[in-house]
Amino acid sequence: MPTPTSPVAPPGGSGPGSRRAGFRPDIEGLRAVAVLGVLAFHAAVPGLTGGFVGVDVFFVISGHLITGLLLREAVTTGRIRLGEFFSRRARRLLPSAAVVLGAVALAGAWLTVPLRRTELEYDVLAAALSTANWRFVQQQTDYLAAGHDQSPLLHFWSLAVEEQFYLFWAPLIAGFVYAAARAARRGRAVRSAVTAFTSVLALGAFVLSLRWTGDSVSLAYLGTPSRVWQFGVGALLALLPWHLLRGPRPLRLLSGWAGAGALLWCMTEYDASTPYPGYAALVPTLATAAIILAGIPDRSAGGSADGPDGPDAHGVGRLLAGRAPRAIGRLSYTLYLWHWPVLVLAEARLGPLDWTARTALTVAAVLPALATMRWVEQPLRHSRTVSELPRRGLSVGVSAVAIPVVLALVTGTTTLRLLGPATPVDVKGLPPGAAEGPHLLSREGTPLRSGPVVPSPVQARKDFPPDGACEVAPPVTRSPRCLFGAADSPDRMVLLGDSHAGQWFSPMLALAAERGWALQELVKQGCPLPELSVVNPQLGRTYHECDTWRADALARITKGPKPRLVVIASLNRYSDDQRLLARGWERTLKPLRALGVPIVYLEDTPVPGKDIPACVSGHTADPEACAFARSTAQWPDPLARRIAAGRLPGVRTVSVNPVLCPPEGADCPAVLDRILLYRDDAHLTDVAAVVLTPRLERLLSEAGALAGGTGAAAGADGWTRVMHDDFEGPAGARPSADRWKYDIGTCYPGCPAPQWGTGEIETMTDSADNVRLDGKGALEIVPTRRDGKWYSGRIESRRADFAPPPGGVMRIEASIALPDVTGPAAAGYWPAFWTLGAKLRDGYTGWPSVGELDIMESVNGRDTFFGSMHCGLAEGGPCEEPVGLTSGPQPCPGCRTGFHSYAVEVDLAPGAEEVRWYLDGRIHHRVGAARMDAGTWDRAVHHGLFLILNVAMGGKLPATDGLTAGPGTEPGHPMRVEHVTVSTREGTTRS
């Protein structure tokens, strides 16, 4: 069904404006009511959300008048002159339409961007050839949620429906007339045969409309077969002998006013959520029939068979036959033709407009409408020269079709040359993507040069993943087999979700093929992977097919061969109810988690919300103009937060958004490193997905999901590396922005605990003076002093989902050389490697109940270190706060002069859960679950963790040890970190 910007049927299907046999002034006024509703609807006037029902009014009117016209000719002349009929239609409708099409073709070349211009010229061709409705059906135009860059000719779909009806209906009635030529009562025979046929046809078309409304709203709304029944209702008004019906006069009055009231009710009560056409279309269709029926004269009361003596003084027809409604009715066709292009082209130039501006533009469209009626429509309709011979009228019609076709071909061909070829991009020739860092493409090898974007805008429009029919359409309830790569391999990766999962097909296939795995794709358009009930815009109703497909896909995964990896992705804006989303995800993930295989959630990519290829085609020299706001492009992701908090063990999350939408700045780019990132307003181009493959491989490997990938293979002892950083890079460079983020200042955001809650005296910075790579494979965190103030560095892992698998073990390890300073010069030095519970990041409150594991801490340059666990209450409690369950000082005389390995293991072995601390592989401290109540242990251990590396200065702990930072403390002694590694192991482990 339509949206507030969807065009509806044209009012120009039939009936001249002059008085003649069969002329109904009230019907001319009825056109005014319908077109005004349509115009207000398109202008988004508040309160008229159902103005689209004008389509039903116009179709009923056309069916009534055209059938009556043909029937009168058949009865009076014994034949139907098809040449004359089509000549009248051609000179009545086509010249005015040709003027609008020509104007749109020329204006579009000036007002629209090149890519949109090309599509517009195809629209001109389809409109000129009366096939516009089928073009928009083929495009599966979404009428429930109007997209961006709508066609200025979208309203021509309904004119196409009318003209297709004429092409079918007139020859059909002519055939009946020919068959009844020898009948004694030819008029009655034709009327009876056509009435019977029309009744069956209308009933069948209505049933088809109901079915299509349930299966495809675009086909139901735009398709000619599903609209025939409305013409049929109008035809039956002309075919059946309503004028012979006897009835009290008040009943006629009631019929007319009830019809008018029903139409007004539809215009005010229907909206974009009304399934349409379907059963809802019965109300405006029958209401229109009631108004027309109320104006049919009663012959038994002295009325004329061919026209009324005049509208009843108290009937709705008297109101409709007034001078103003009839004037608008006469203008309705050309006004309808002009108003929609004026609205769309104005918004293409000026941007989205509110309803007041749209209303003003609609009123302004009266001027070209009047000019077209005055100088094109009326002269050709009343020209004796043109109307004298049918072939002349037909010639006018052919010319009216040919002129816009030629304009479209010339303009379109010129634009295509400007845009370049639409041949697919050869992905094998793409530059290598960067595995990490802020750049999309690798900086190694041939340097990047300036040039056109890849893919070009015209290529981007069709740059889909090469997965054939495996991204199944809305009506489909089961995916095909869809096995790619090593299809016979016992090892397989599953890609599961909606089209935002499907966009990752190419990189997933590459990663699977590299490992000799099969890739199984289970992807359905517009179907949320979390178990949610949604309305599908193409079907125009609750998306039951999605629920069936989702259940089938999950059953196939759980009952089929056990996959090595399940990768899931989904659009993250099916609902803004985060609790509902969380419950939906839990229901979907439950059977997948039961498989015991790695599950990786690929966080949703930014959604631009505008047609990126079209925008870039108009800004080839400055694609930065097509950037879009981060605030609207990235929605909160409750699933990512729950995974990061460790609430869904066995599920990992990875994101490429730090490179697609860098954290610096308020906007996300449309083009990065000359790669055009989006193929529409929501999906990545396949080219962008391909160059992201190395980054995805690293992220999946670090998440422990790609056995067989670099750094991800389980060793002989069963350990699988989840994250690793060896801090390779040039001297003075920052650590990887994909892995680490900085803490800045003297407290967490919002300062829930000033001086980091420990009384430290330094200010943390992101300066290379304080945090840098040394160029030799180590990270340095260096305290400095300027103007008597201390500065240092503190970094956290971006990931906060480090957790053991169910029943398994997680090991966090770093190779660290402590600051090489001792004695009074080391007073106040406080280097540390530690973790915090992920929940702390939600406002940075809740310590210590969220859990803290101090893997290594050392103060004041002592040749000792210690490990601790914090939990429970801020004072006292099972973790004896604020001291914590500590190992006490552990001797380490070489820890300042060389690298040593510090590690902690979180072991979730059933019935024997504990945390263990290691120095160079030797356990020096343990804390078991038996040390505290189950609730405290659960809150401290059973969740995700994030890592922290820092060197603090001063504070409570150094002071407790007997020293504090002072004038004699020497700045510039770094803590050096050779590597940080997080690994997991399935099952239970005891040491």
Tab-separated table of all heavy atoms in Angstrom, residues 68 105 272 296 506 767 804 837 877:
chain	number	residue	atom	x	y	z
A	68	GLY	N	-20.046	2.382	-19.844
A	68	GLY	CA	-21.273	3.026	-20.325
A	68	GLY	C	-21.112	3.587	-21.725
A	68	GLY	O	-22.013	3.460	-22.570
A	105	ALA	N	12.087	14.666	-18.049
A	105	ALA	CA	13.343	14.193	-18.641
A	105	ALA	C	14.368	15.316	-18.703
A	105	ALA	O	15.554	15.112	-18.399
A	105	ALA	CB	13.083	13.634	-20.035
A	272	ALA	N	-0.387	4.247	6.624
A	272	ALA	CA	0.597	3.345	6.040
A	272	ALA	C	0.556	1.952	6.652
A	272	ALA	O	1.103	1.006	6.082
A	272	ALA	CB	2.009	3.935	6.198
A	296	ILE	N	-27.790	7.997	-10.212
A	296	ILE	CA	-28.429	7.394	-11.382
A	296	ILE	C	-29.931	7.682	-11.325
A	296	ILE	O	-30.576	7.405	-10.313
A	296	ILE	CB	-28.170	5.874	-11.422
A	296	ILE	CG1	-26.674	5.600	-11.675
A	296	ILE	CG2	-29.014	5.210	-12.513
A	296	ILE	CD1	-26.325	4.122	-11.665
A	506	SER	N	31.253	-12.857	0.507
A	506	SER	CA	32.541	-13.002	-0.181
A	506	SER	C	33.698	-13.213	0.783
A	506	SER	O	34.502	-14.134	0.602
A	506	SER	CB	32.803	-11.801	-1.096
A	506	SER	OG	31.906	-11.817	-2.192
A	767	SER	N	49.339	10.927	24.637
A	767	SER	CA	50.541	11.436	23.973
A	767	SER	C	51.570	10.322	23.819
A	767	SER	O	51.703	9.446	24.694
A	767	SER	CB	51.133	12.586	24.781
A	767	SER	OG	52.420	12.924	24.305
A	804	PRO	N	36.142	-17.358	29.820
A	804	PRO	CA	36.371	-18.783	29.494
A	804	PRO	C	35.158	-19.352	28.785
A	804	PRO	O	34.036	-18.888	28.979
A	804	PRO	CB	36.559	-19.439	30.865
A	804	PRO	CG	36.682	-18.329	31.851
A	804	PRO	CD	35.995	-17.140	31.260
A	837	GLY	N	35.704	-6.237	35.417
A	837	GLY	CA	34.486	-6.802	34.843
A	837	GLY	C	33.857	-5.865	33.828
A	837	GLY	O	33.823	-4.643	34.017
A	877	GLY	N	33.789	-7.689	53.608
A	877	GLY	CA	33.232	-8.650	52.678
A	877	GLY	C	34.165	-9.822	52.406
A	877	GLY	O	35.257	-9.919	52.973
